[in-house]
Each structure stands twice: as structure tokens, then as C-alpha cells.
């Protein structure tokens, strides 16, 4: 959990729900709070699939998106771990939300995930 939080430090992300453990597993529900686009927001997600060490999925059960699903995949290539984020989502507000997705939100989320992945890579490589 601490690696995730340090990777999203620029948004002030924090856990606002009670957790039994620092490690999440199948069925766990967690509520995150962070500032995105200048607005403090909460997103509650549930771990809906868990297949360590290959993948896990979480899905928004409450939050700012109409739908938000996040699959984390881990594969190996040339003795390195490759992490892939798949994030199908849809913004609220119908056609206006779709326009915001295309014009701004797709790029914002991609940049956020790339920054997080780069941070996690540095953490993983420094632990060698």
C-alpha cells in the first residue's frame, strides 16, 4: 500500500477506509481520496479478480466515474517484470462526459498511470 501511495503523492492520495491489512486481496473494498483536476474526490473500489502474481482487477463501486475498471497485468520479458494497466472507463454526464474524455481525461489518466509506473519501477529497481 505504501508503494501505491508514494506513487500518487502529487495528488495527495490517501486511504480513507479501514483496512484489515496493508495487502489487498479478493473482495477487499477500499476508498481512496485524492485531488484530481483541482477537486478533492473519493473513489471506492473492490478487488474483483485476483490471480497473483499475474494480475488483479479492481472496479469502482462508488465515485466520480460512470464506470471505471482497472486491470493490472504482470508478465516477464528478458528477466524483467512488465506491468500493464488496462483502464476502460466512462465519464458521467453523457455526451458532455464523452467529449471531456476525448479532449482531456484520456490524456490525464494516461499521464497519471505512466508517472505512477515510473515511480514503481524506481522503487522496484532500488530494492535489488
Amino acid at each position: 500500500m505504501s508503494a501505491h501511495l508514494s506513487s500518487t503523492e502529487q495528488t495527495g492520495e490517501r486511504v480513507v477506509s479501514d483496512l484489515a491489512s496493508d495487502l489487498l486481496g479478493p473482495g477487499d473494498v477500499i476508498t481512496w481520496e485524492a485531488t484530481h483536476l483541482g477537486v478533492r474526490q473519493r473513489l471506492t473500489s473492490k478487488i474483483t479478480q485476483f490471480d497473483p502474481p499475474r494480475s488483479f482487477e479492481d472496479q469502482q463501486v462508488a465515485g466520480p466515474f460512470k464506470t471505471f475498471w482497472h486491470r493490472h497485468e504482470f508478465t516477464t520479458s528478458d528477466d524483467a517484470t512488465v506491468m500493464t494497466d488496462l483502464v476502460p472507463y466512462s465519464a458521467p454526464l453523457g455526451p458532455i462526459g464523452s467529449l471531456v474524455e476525448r479532449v482531456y481525461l484520456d490524456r490525464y489518466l494516461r499521464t497519471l498511470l505512466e508517472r505512477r509506473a515510473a515511480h514503481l519501477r524506481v522503487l522496484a529497481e532500488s530494492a535489488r
Side-chain angles (χ1 to χ4, degrees), residues 56-59 68-72 85-87 113 116:
F56 70 96
E57 298 173 6
D58 59 90
Q59 184 172 355
F68 190 92
W69 175 81
H70 188 178
R71 180 175 174 85
H72 314 255
D85 289 298
L86 304 169
V87 187
L113 290 170
R116 189 179 117 228

Side-chain angles (χ1 to χ4, degrees), residues 7 83 85 112-122:
S7 73
M83 181 180 76
D85 289 298
L112 183 73
L113 290 170
E114 288 172 349
R115 188 178 308 129
R116 189 179 117 228
H119 180 84
L120 293 174
R121 179 179 182 173
V122 167

Side-chain angles (χ1 to χ4, degrees), residues 45-109:
S45 60
K46 180 178 183 176
I47 306 297
T48 56
Q49 185 271 340
F50 195 70
D51 185 20
R54 291 176 282 284
S55 66
F56 70 96
E57 298 173 6
D58 59 90
Q59 184 172 355
Q60 174 189 281
V61 294
F65 294 93
K66 180 178 177 184
T67 62
F68 190 92
W69 175 81
H70 188 178
R71 180 175 174 85
H72 314 255
E73 294 181 346
F74 305 92
T75 56
T76 43
S77 175
D78 299 326
D79 294 326
T81 299
V82 178
M83 181 180 76
T84 304
D85 289 298
L86 304 169
V87 187
Y89 75 96
S90 60
L93 305 177
I96 293 170
S98 294
L99 178 63
V100 171
E101 285 175 30
R102 288 192 310 275
V103 170
Y104 186 76
L105 204 48
D106 287 346
R107 184 176 43 235
Y108 179 82
L109 287 172

